[in-house]
Amino acid sequence: MNERVPPIEVENLTEMREASEDVGRNDSDNPTMGDIINRRYSRRGFLRGSLAVAAIGATVSPLALSAGRAQAQEVSSSFDFAEVAAGVDETHHVAEGYDADVLLRWGDKVLADAPDFDPMNQTAEAQAKQFGYNNDYVGFVPLSDAEDRGLLVVNHEYTNAELMFPNFAKVVTVTEEKDGQQVETQKVEIGEFTKELVDIEMAAHGGTVIEIARDESGKWKPVLDSQYNRRITTETEMALTGPVAGHARVKTNADPSGTKVFGTLNNCAGGLTPWGTWLTAEENVHGYFGGALPEGHREELNYKRMGVPGGWYNWGSFHDRFDVSKEPNEPNRFGWIVEVDPKNPNSVPKKRTALGRFKHEGCETVVNSDGRVVCYSGDDERFDYVYKFVTNGTFNESDPSANADLLDDGTLYVARFDEDGTVEWMPLVHGEAPLDEAHGFASQADVLIETRRAADLLGATKMDRPEDVQPNPKTGKVYCMLTNNTRRKEGEENAANPRADNAFGHIIEITETDGDFASTKSTWEILLKCGDPSVAEVGASFSSATTENGWFGMPDNCAIDADGRLWVSTDGNSESKTGRTDGLWAVDTDGEARGTSKLFFRVPVGAEMCGPYFTPSSETLFLAVQHPGDEGLATYEQPATRWPDFDDNLPVRPAVVTVTKQGGGKIA
Ligand code: FEO
Ligand code: CA
Ligand code: CA
């Protein structure tokens, strides 16, 4: 995320965004794993264009095995597709025999009366009817048994002003003193924000509901005149529901009831419920607030733990509610899971406070064998926690309306991963020590508003940035993406986070006891330690059948396909870090092939890979390409790529891509 109190000078905006997960900062100067890898990959050139891709493809060979791996038994992946060559260039690549088609780009019409995208003359009013920026979570609610028509729901997590607005950011050369010498450095300098630009940013956040259908040729297309199409923005009216609704700590001047909130922020990953609603997760909400809390304010401790005010955006200069000196309670109204009914375009989205307030990466659900619904959510920050929520009521398959408020009543648990391979799910319930008055919790609402502090007191395990947490309904397993944590020092390792300076992340597999997703005592093991397995210092654990294209770093989102198989998308791979862009990898979890990974799709330079989402039949895969072109000194005028249009008159644009098999059939 951008830290953008103008004017701002940074060398690389991507690195700044990564620093957003950095509240648990370790300021030591020890060389990091990233430094070792930078040295390795800095020898490679930046490869552009299809010729360069062909060159990579021509050199594909079985992985040069490190000593320990040379003896490993060769096994083959259970995935059939021909692997894509890892690398970096200006466009996307999908496995041979599949089509990857751009479905919706930033600025495309969502509502029938939206104006055509005109980036030189963009307005907030136009943006509020057009596809938003930085698509992240994608879900699909079928409207037909044939799965040829349905509602696509998409999160718009954040905005890159330097790539969105013409004549706004520029590359400047500055002279700085370093080690007693004058050194010239190039930086991106951002211009001055006006209310008009801020309002465009606010309208580009939130989400989209749009009907899509397959045409005669089988290609997916938006249905612009659909009654369902909807943009959700930072201005959309929402309701706070559950234990926190109406509490004094969520009341503001504009909302003395403490129940009515405008908008949703930083919607990262999400999930669909069994009853067809969309859960959109508010992640780095702290960055939108500026100003300073009044001295001695009761939220001081709470906001410190959440990093409020982050001051990345300067919306507070134009909208009082984003200035904590004027509206000190407003940040308590963000950081929730928001439930949206995509089939009812007039419905008021509900912030389900029973699921806790933290930097929710996503919210994936499963119906337990006893009918209760279990929702998993990671808190994406270095040294934060893994959670699950279990409803008290049970899912009613025959009457969707009976599930309408299921998520308002239940128990939130936080995970403690023990050395003996068990995981203890600890309830966050007010009344029992230490979640009591003596520790500043007067009610369950207090526990939920300060979920992180409550989980600290219970002794939850500090993780390496929990991202997606995905249950597999077919196996009773749960996959937890831990993206990286280079701030974990030697001596701070634990069994579930075994690497200090964890630059490439890992994946934990939880086995819920007897397939009971509501279990409070389960077991866990590490499925994969990520990174380049040919570099011994990395300590990666991909199977020996994994090729040099098949390994990845920084797992982020994931999905389970129709056959119960795991697919993992990444955020943070680049030429300098891993010699490859982000992408989507198919990962075996069972049998001899366990730990084998294959590259299926890769993004253009600068992007991260979001989504992924399979239709129930697995015949279509939806992928979100987020922040393409955002690499190095990228600006509107000089992005690292002009994907997907490759038109000098158009900016680089985040977009959702559909993947289908040529001739039809399951993605395998
Ligand atoms: Fe928005 Fe944790 O990624
Ligand atoms: Ca993410
Ligand atoms: Ca991410």
Side-chain angles (χ1 to χ4, degrees):
M1 305 293 304
N2 297 1
E3 293 194 39
R4 293 116 23 91
V5 181
I8 190 167
E9 291 181 359
V10 296
E11 289 177 48
N12 183 308
L13 292 159
T14 303
E15 283 168 13
M16 208 148 216
R17 251 170 238 120
E18 284 166 6
S20 72
E21 285 85 12
D22 209 14
V23 167
R25 179 179 284 276
N26 163 8
D27 288 326
S28 81
D29 292 329
N30 299 339
T32 65
M33 186 60 72
D35 296 333
I36 294 169
I37 300 304
N38 277 339
R39 287 198 286 274
R40 179 180 180 87
Y41 290 105
S42 62
R43 292 194 294 273
R44 294 171 139 195
F46 182 95
L47 299 168
R48 285 174 188 263
S50 55
L51 279 176
V53 178
I56 303 173
T59 60
V60 168
S61 62
L63 189 64
L65 300 173
S66 59
R69 295 161 46 76
Q71 279 86 43
Q73 190 188 349
E74 286 294 332
V75 289
S76 46
S77 161
S78 68
F79 294 87
D80 273 348
F81 62 85
E83 185 167 49
V84 172
V88 180
D89 68 17
E90 293 181 339
T91 194
H92 64 275
H93 299 264
V94 69
E96 202 179 322
Y98 291 86
D99 287 329
D101 300 304
V102 174
L103 176 69
L104 282 161
R105 302 158 295 184
W106 166 51
D108 283 351
K109 293 181 184 202
V110 172
L111 303 182
D113 64 346
D116 287 333
F117 183 52
D118 181 1
M120 300 303 287
N121 299 288
Q122 181 65 315
T123 65
E125 191 187 11
Q127 180 63 78
K129 296 176 175 181
Q130 299 166 336
F131 200 60
Y133 208 77
N134 274 344
N135 29 226
D136 198 303
Y137 178 76
V138 183
F140 176 77
V141 180
L143 291 174
S144 67
D145 290 341
E147 288 181 23
D148 56 359
R149 203 167 74 85
L151 301 181
L152 198 73
V153 299
V154 183
N155 287 359
H156 300 298
E157 186 186 14
Y158 69 98
T159 48
N160 291 73
E162 77 282 9
L163 299 178
M164 291 172 70
F165 302 133
N167 306 312
F168 180 71
K170 61 183 180 200
V171 176
V172 296
T173 303
V174 294
T175 306
E176 288 173 337
E177 193 177 302
K178 267 186 192 160
D179 302 326
Q181 293 199 323
Q182 297 293 310
V183 179
E184 282 197 343
T185 317
Q186 283 202 310
K187 297 185 173 188
V188 173
E189 186 179 82
I190 293 204
E192 185 135 354
F193 279 96
T194 59
K195 181 170 187 296
E196 190 183 10
L197 292 182
V198 162
D199 288 351
I200 295 169
E201 287 187 312
M202 289 172 65
H205 277 70
T208 289
V209 179
I210 187 165
E211 184 174 340
I212 58 171
R214 296 185 92 153
D215 66 13
E216 284 131 30
S217 66
K219 297 289 184 196
W220 288 98
K221 294 278 155 47
V223 180
L224 285 184
D225 58 359
S226 168
Q227 58 168 318
Y228 298 112
N229 294 1
R230 179 178 192 182
R231 270 302 320 282
I232 287 167
T233 74
T234 313
E235 308 279 15
T236 304
E237 183 181 334
M238 310 203 164
L240 279 168
T241 70
V244 175
H247 193 278
R249 295 174 73 179
V250 290
K251 290 180 178 171
T252 63
N253 286 316
D255 175 27
S257 75
T259 58
K260 189 163 111 176
V261 182
F262 287 101
T264 181
L265 290 173
N266 209 262
N267 304 76
C268 193
L272 289 181
T273 64
W275 51 97
T277 59
W278 163 31
L279 302 178
T280 173
E282 297 185 322
E283 193 192 24
N284 287 301
V285 298
H286 63 300
Y288 296 84
F289 296 92
L293 266 188
E295 189 114 350
H297 196 277
R298 80 99 79 203
E299 302 299 348
E300 265 178 1
L301 205 56
N302 166 22
Y303 288 178
K304 185 161 187 280
R305 187 66 177 83
M306 284 286 281
V308 172
W312 301 345
Y313 289 78
N314 63 350
W315 297 359
S317 301
F318 305 99
H319 299 273
D320 284 355
R321 65 191 177 112
F322 295 111
D323 181 339
V324 296
S325 69
K326 294 174 180 157
E327 281 295 356
N329 284 346
E330 187 76 7
N332 279 338
R333 294 145 62 88
F334 295 88
W336 304 105
I337 294 295
V338 186
E339 184 175 12
V340 182
D341 181 359
K343 288 188 179 166
N344 183 353
N346 299 315
S347 60
V348 174
K350 293 183 171 146
K351 297 200 174 194
R352 300 296 189 186
T353 66
L355 279 73
R357 174 173 168 272
F358 47 91
K359 295 180 185 174
H360 286 275
E361 167 71 21
C363 191
E364 296 283 4
T365 64
V366 63
V367 180
N368 199 32
S369 51
D370 61 10
R372 288 183 292 167
V373 176
V374 183
C375 311
Y376 291 87
S377 195
D379 183 354
D380 181 9
E381 189 161 313
R382 293 177 173 91
F383 304 109
D384 261 290
Y385 307 132
V386 173
Y387 296 85
K388 75 176 176 186
F389 175 79
V390 182
T391 60
N392 282 338
T394 56
F395 170 54
N396 185 332
E397 196 165 4
S398 57
D399 178 10
S401 67
N403 306 306
D405 294 318
L406 212 47
L407 298 182
D408 281 341
D409 183 21
T411 304
L412 181 65
Y413 299 87
V414 66
R416 193 188 69 219
F417 292 86
D418 289 332
E419 304 277 327
D420 64 359
T422 58
V423 53
E424 189 82 31
W425 292 103
M426 302 180 291
L428 291 150
V429 176
H430 175 258
E432 286 179 31
L435 308 185
D436 52 18
E437 292 263 13
H439 294 87
F441 301 106
S443 64
Q444 183 64 13
D446 284 335
V447 170
L448 294 167
I449 289 169
E450 292 187 80
T451 300
R452 283 182 163 187
R453 196 167 68 78
D456 293 342
L457 290 166
L458 292 180
T461 303
K462 295 179 175 182
M463 310 299 286
D464 288 345
R465 288 188 53 198
E467 302 260 17
D468 260 8
V469 185
Q470 185 85 39
N472 184 340
K474 289 188 186 300
T475 62
K477 311 267 188 191
V478 182
Y479 294 94
C480 179
M481 307 295 121
L482 297 151
T483 195
N484 65 69
N485 182 358
T486 53
R487 304 290 174 191
R488 188 179 291 280
K489 292 185 278 192
E490 278 183 33
E492 291 180 345
E493 305 95 329
N494 56 53
N497 300 274
R499 288 189 289 185
D501 188 17
N502 182 8
F504 304 106
H506 58 287
I507 300 175
I508 286 180
E509 180 185 67
I510 296 168
T511 302
E512 296 283 31
T513 306
D514 301 325
D516 176 10
F517 288 99
S519 166
T520 56
K521 202 172 187 76
S522 315
T523 58
W524 66 270
E525 61 183 290
I526 289 177
L527 171 68
L528 273 181
K529 286 184 270 184
C530 303
D532 185 346
S534 72
V535 180
E537 299 99 305
V538 170
S541 66
F542 290 92
S543 88
S544 61
T546 303
T547 75
E548 66 180 337
N549 307 298
W551 62 267
F552 55 83
M554 306 90 169
D556 187 344
N557 301 127
C558 63
I560 303 291
D561 69 15
D563 294 321
R565 301 181 305 176
L566 178 66
W567 299 69
V568 174
S569 67
T570 63
D571 171 17
N573 293 269
S574 66
E575 180 68 23
S576 62
K577 283 184 179 159
T578 53
R580 60 200 59 208
T581 60
D582 285 316
L584 181 70
W585 278 264
V587 178
D588 277 294
T589 56
D590 297 316
E592 286 192 335
R594 182 173 165 90
T596 305
S597 171
K598 274 177 76 174
L599 178 55
F600 180 75
F601 180 96
R602 72 179 223 220
V603 296
V605 61
E608 79 174 82
M609 180 88 278
C610 301
Y613 194 89
F614 288 92
T615 54
S617 65
S618 270
E619 292 193 8
T620 298
L621 162 67
F622 297 101
L623 295 171
V625 175
Q626 194 189 68
H627 62 77
D630 181 18
E631 179 117 337
L633 301 167
T635 61
Y636 180 95
E637 286 75 19
Q638 293 182 296
T641 173
R642 285 195 189 273
W643 189 88
D645 303 295
F646 296 105
D647 178 338
D648 286 347
N649 296 313
L650 286 173
V652 60
R653 297 205 263 176
V656 169
V657 170
T658 59
V659 177
T660 49
K661 192 172 186 177
Q662 290 164 2
K666 208 184 260 187
I667 292 165

